Amino acid sequence: MSAHDTSAAHAPADAHDAHGAEPHGSLRGYMIGFILSVILTAIPFWLVMTGALGSTTATAFAIMGLAVVQIVVHMVYFLHMNFRTEGGWSMLALVFTLILVVIMLAGSMWVMYHLNTNMMPGAHDMRQML
């Protein structure tokens, strides 16, 4: 080795395994996440198969709510996202992404609604002819 060699021999032995101070998860954490995921998957199936809520609209909103909860469970227990990892940047990036998605979806729905209303005047007049 020369004096200018910057190989891994000069690096600390555990530098390769240093991924930050946060643990990557434990068997207990993974099992909690798995059990919650199974429960959050079984509940919508039960709601649909039994018709427990009575209304298809209420069932759809319940399923969407449970889907959001399941996304959070996956992010916390399997992706290990929280406000402490990476100085909070991963969670900040997620919040920014969610804001952009909501803006894009809301804007798309607004444009489609107004296109339907303004570009299809004949459809509204046809109802009056019946």
Side-chain angles (χ1 to χ4, degrees), residues 38-95:
V38 168
I39 291 170
L40 290 170
T41 301
I43 291 172
F45 278 106
W46 174 77
L47 287 174
V48 170
M49 296 304 288
T50 62
L53 296 181
S55 167
T56 56
T57 304
T59 302
F61 280 114
I63 290 172
M64 286 188 277
L66 289 167
V68 169
V69 172
Q70 189 162 25
I71 289 170
V72 172
V73 166
H74 281 255
M75 288 184 343
V76 170
Y77 286 100
F78 299 123
L79 298 176
H80 311 293
M81 291 183 73
N82 57 35
F83 288 105
R84 293 183 310 269
T85 56
E86 297 180 14
W89 285 107
S90 61
M91 193 62 72
L92 185 64
L94 174 71
V95 169

Side-chain angles (χ1 to χ4, degrees), residues 7 12 15-19 28 34 37 41 47 50 52 82 89 97 99-101 108-109 122 130:
S7 65
H16 177 71
D17 296 328
H19 297 290
R28 180 179 182 270
F34 175 73
S37 295
T41 301
L47 287 174
T50 62
N82 57 35
W89 285 107
T97 302
I99 289 171
L100 284 179
V101 168
S108 297
M109 296 302 288
L130 295 176

